[in-house]
Amino acid sequence: SGNNNKITLAANYGETSTHQLPDGSEVILNANSAVTLNEAWTKESDREVWLKGEAFFHVTKTLDRKKFIVHTDHFDVIVTGTKFNVVNRNGQSNVMLNEGSVIIKTANGNETKMDPGEFVEFKNEKALKRMAKSDSVLAWREKRLVFENTPLSEVVTIIKDHYGVNVELADASVSDKTISGM
């Protein structure tokens, strides 16, 4: 409807922020990230949020078992009550499930059910499961960045996303070199 006012919760560059949603669910936003929800949120059938950036959600179950849906550019994460991390930036979308269960629904209607410890990323129009280390995916919540054989070109993008700082590689030949560390 046209008069639906939106509420946006955001974290600036170089910071993380924690917010409580009207249903008691908690969202921790990574740097340079935001979630948007409709003002009439609790009155609607499903609890829906739109994510830009990265966030960790701890969703509370409702008595009427209303769904909680996180919209990204590539898929929706459909939840009843659980803890999970979602990334939606630079054309990349992925989900790490910590607890409970979620369903990833892509635009073409394909659904992927996730179990705790699983990591799903969107590649070539498909949601693909792969193994990922939960502690490195979630390191940002402790204000850490973890690199595991990460190409320097990707490190530059991550620094820009988190801190709003442009880093230029002096020589393009090093962009494929990788670094590991924290």
Side-chain angles (χ1 to χ4, degrees):
S1 57
N3 61 356
N4 241 347
N5 291 327
K6 302 264 191 251
I7 298 168
T8 299
L9 309 169
N12 294 320
Y13 284 118
E15 70 168 31
T16 61
S17 62
T18 302
H19 305 271
Q20 190 140 27
L21 299 176
D23 64 340
S25 293
E26 187 181 68
V27 55
I28 307 171
L29 291 168
N30 200 350
N32 182 28
S33 300
V35 291
T36 305
L37 52 148
N38 289 329
E39 210 172 51
W41 201 61
T42 42
K43 301 177 191 66
E44 290 169 8
S45 48
D46 290 330
R47 302 170 283 168
E48 294 181 86
V49 300
W50 285 261
L51 173 68
K52 289 274 176 246
E54 179 168 15
F56 183 84
F57 294 89
H58 183 186
V59 174
T60 56
K61 285 189 165 77
T62 56
L63 290 173
D64 53 5
R65 293 187 68 75
K66 276 185 185 167
K67 285 183 189 138
F68 188 104
I69 301 171
V70 181
H71 298 282
T72 75
D73 293 345
H74 297 293
F75 53 71
D76 296 337
V77 187
I78 303 166
V79 184
T80 50
T82 190
K83 296 182 184 179
F84 58 100
N85 194 75
V86 187
V87 173
N88 183 36
R89 57 166 127 225
N90 295 322
Q92 282 191 315
S93 297
N94 63 57
V95 180
M96 173 95 219
L97 180 63
N98 284 64
E99 194 178 283
S101 68
V102 301
I103 292 167
I104 306 299
K105 187 173 184 176
T106 52
N108 59 15
N110 283 347
E111 294 191 357
T112 304
K113 188 177 182 300
M114 288 182 71
D115 294 317
E118 289 185 328
F119 182 86
V120 166
E121 62 187 336
F122 191 85
K123 275 216 166 117
N124 309 321
E125 307 300 309
K126 289 192 185 74
L128 301 174
K129 274 186 196 178
R130 69 175 174 81
M131 289 315 292
K133 293 194 186 95
S134 176
D135 47 359
S136 45
V137 172
L138 300 178
W140 65 268
R141 293 191 308 170
E142 282 134 35
K143 304 214 177 342
R144 292 181 303 148
L145 295 172
V146 175
F147 300 117
E148 289 172 26
N149 296 320
T150 309
L152 283 178
S153 56
E154 217 172 291
V155 171
V156 165
T157 304
I158 290 167
I159 290 170
K160 182 174 198 262
D161 279 339
H162 286 73
Y163 301 107
V165 176
N166 279 315
V167 177
E168 285 189 27
L169 297 174
D171 183 346
S173 66
V174 299
S175 68
D176 291 335
K177 286 216 162 53
T178 63
I179 63 165
S180 296
M182 200 174 288

